[in-house]
Amino acid sequence: MYNLLNDLSIIEVSSFVASPTAGLYCAQMGAEVIRVDHTAGGLDYNRYMLTSQGRSLSWENLNRAKKSVALDLQSGEGRELCVELAAKTGQCITNLPERSFLAHAAMAARRADMISLRIMGWHDGRQAMDFTVNAAAGYPLMCGPEDWDPATAPPVNQVLPAWDFITGAYSAFAMLAALHHRGRTGEGSEVRVPLGNVAIGTLANSGTMAEMLYRGADRERLGNAIWGAFGRDFRSRDGSRFMVAALTPKQWNGLVKAFGVDAGIAALEAELGVRFADGDTPRFQHRAALFALFQQAADGFDYADLAARLAAEGCTFERYRTAHEAANDAELVAGNPLFGPSPANPSGFAYPATRSFANLPGREAGDPAPAPYLGQHSEEVLAERLGLSSGAIGKLVDAGTVALSDKNR
């Protein structure tokens, strides 16, 4: 964990993926992120899958390096404490509805320069989740084998909740932008980041929306081929599946040499009247013939031999792994400085944990920090942030308004 943001504290009141991700990225850069949950845990506290001790591995990993305060957020006093914590801190990340006790107006009434970042569903207030905005944006109907009938083919959902993670990353950026603005002007900000806007906006930013409007129709399904360039999955003689991509002249020339298809390429060019070295367009337009040629060549190599040839030519390629294989891959994990030693996780399960995705040469990244136990920092934060005495906190605990660590639950 880098310490670039070690003078920044953020209150986070959130659940599931996008909002906790925003706080996680800030924490990994050194910010003090204080997560406030209901005393029984937030909506995501017991999210699948659970260890035998009943700890959520999802919650544990999305809340690394954070502090935890547990309040009775169904009570007026607990909600009042939460709003006061946010206002005293000055910045808050949440995915609670605007029409909730944690509305921006409620926080700004106590602090004029308050910054709130709220992750929403759709811009008009409708609820949304990653998998529903993905359906709306059209991507699942682009996926699948190219020979499926467009009129009857089913959608193919992606497994990764990509919009959640992209929204979390964008929200961390938006929070820092608002902080920069306040530092220059003294003005607070209410920032809203709708998940749906991230999805449909990415459709536009990628050029896909303009493409659909220009062509006046939908893009055809391509299976595992790369749209607009040369790339697809192939299978070696010994049954290994791997992906290759060639977007630059160097990548293309390397693939041709590694696969040993120079003569076949020359013959295709003569037959079709094109030069594949001219760029993406001829390679994409004649992809079927090229794919057949490259697969025929792959049939003559075991993967290890072909991978060595591809590496020697500086090609862009990778073998398909299962997620379990990836988690146990020495090159991806054990030998990757992204991962540090396992901290003392609340689950009691030891496994590789990530540092910040960014690598800052010359700066010490530090080791990954554990997620907190629910309520682990309730007493510390209430004393430091709100100035409550141990006696006052004890009364709140006795009343059920505040909960302490659930380590020994």
Side-chain angles (χ1 to χ4, degrees):
M1 310 301 182
Y2 293 110
N3 286 319
L4 275 66
L5 299 177
N6 59 0
D7 60 344
L8 173 65
S9 295
I10 299 172
I11 296 297
E12 179 195 311
V13 187
S14 62
S15 56
F16 297 113
V17 180
S19 190
T21 296
L24 173 66
Y25 291 161
C26 292
Q28 287 180 329
M29 283 295 181
E32 178 190 45
V33 178
I34 302 167
R35 176 168 171 138
V36 180
D37 278 307
H38 184 57
T39 49
L43 296 173
D44 59 344
Y45 189 56
N46 294 310
R47 195 170 191 210
Y48 194 78
M49 76 175 301
L50 303 179
T51 66
S52 58
Q53 289 79 25
R55 301 285 182 178
S56 167
L57 293 175
S58 171
W59 194 94
E60 184 168 274
N61 281 279
L62 284 170
N63 293 289
R64 290 195 178 284
K66 299 177 185 177
K67 294 182 177 180
S68 173
V69 173
L71 303 176
D72 180 3
L73 295 180
Q74 296 178 1
S75 71
E77 190 171 12
R79 292 179 173 185
E80 181 76 9
L81 285 170
C82 183
V83 174
E84 186 67 16
L85 275 173
K88 284 288 180 68
T89 303
Q91 36 278 333
C92 177
I93 294 172
T94 186
N95 63 345
L96 290 183
E98 169 56 25
R99 294 181 180 178
S100 70
F101 70 90
L102 202 60
H104 177 79
M107 294 181 279
R110 306 181 188 212
R111 180 167 183 154
D113 65 348
M114 183 72 201
I115 296 174
S116 70
L117 188 142
R118 191 175 311 277
I119 294 174
M120 305 167 56
W122 288 100
H123 64 93
D124 57 6
R126 288 181 295 129
Q127 289 191 357
M129 294 180 65
D130 181 283
F131 303 103
T132 61
V133 301
N134 193 47
Y139 285 100
L141 289 173
M142 294 185 197
C143 299
E146 57 186 324
D147 57 355
W148 279 3
D149 180 2
T152 60
V156 178
N157 286 337
Q158 59 195 30
V159 176
L160 174 72
W163 302 123
D164 278 335
F165 287 109
I166 296 171
T167 298
Y170 190 88
S171 296
F173 155 75
M175 169 59 76
L176 293 181
L179 286 164
H180 179 71
H181 175 75
R182 186 173 68 187
R184 290 187 300 109
T185 67
E187 295 178 351
S189 296
E190 179 183 8
V191 184
R192 300 182 182 184
V193 183
L195 185 71
N197 277 7
V198 173
I200 199 67
T202 300
L203 186 80
N205 287 346
S206 66
T208 306
M209 181 179 293
E211 174 200 328
M212 301 307 162
L213 296 173
Y214 179 78
R215 65 162 66 209
D218 285 310
R219 180 189 294 177
E220 63 271 33
R221 294 176 191 255
L222 295 176
N224 286 334
I226 297 174
W227 170 255
F230 181 83
R232 203 197 70 174
D233 62 312
F234 294 96
R235 184 165 52 192
S236 63
R237 180 171 58 192
D238 54 350
S240 289
R241 287 192 176 273
F242 58 99
M243 182 75 189
V244 302
L247 277 69
T248 69
K250 180 180 178 181
Q251 290 170 339
W252 170 252
N253 293 332
L255 281 180
V256 171
K257 188 173 181 180
F259 275 79
V261 293
D262 307 69
I265 291 295
L268 266 181
E269 289 178 331
E271 176 187 344
L272 299 171
V274 299
R275 288 183 71 254
F276 293 122
D278 286 344
D280 289 334
T281 298
R283 296 195 289 260
F284 181 69
Q285 290 178 341
H286 300 286
R287 61 190 179 277
L290 288 172
F291 290 159
L293 178 65
F294 277 83
Q295 182 56 64
Q296 184 180 28
D299 289 338
F301 293 97
D302 286 343
Y303 178 73
D305 295 333
L306 185 53
R309 293 169 64 96
L310 290 165
E313 297 301 329
C315 298
T316 304
F317 72 100
E318 198 57 74
R319 179 177 64 86
Y320 281 90
R321 299 166 175 82
T322 67
H324 185 261
E325 287 177 323
N328 287 279
D329 190 288
E331 184 178 5
L332 296 180
V333 181
N336 189 344
L338 167 67
F339 292 92
S342 180
N345 298 312
S347 65
F349 177 47
Y351 52 89
T354 63
R355 299 180 170 97
S356 169
F357 296 165
N359 182 2
L360 280 65
R363 292 183 182 269
E364 178 60 43
D367 288 336
Y373 290 97
L374 181 67
Q376 179 179 339
H377 304 93
S378 294
E379 189 170 11
E380 170 194 328
V381 170
L382 292 175
E384 292 181 357
R385 296 260 154 205
L386 302 186
L388 297 184
S389 67
S390 58
I393 295 172
K395 289 180 180 179
L396 290 169
V397 172
D398 292 342
T401 304
V402 173
L404 305 182
S405 174
D406 73 343
K407 180 177 182 179
N408 299 314
R409 69 180 185 183

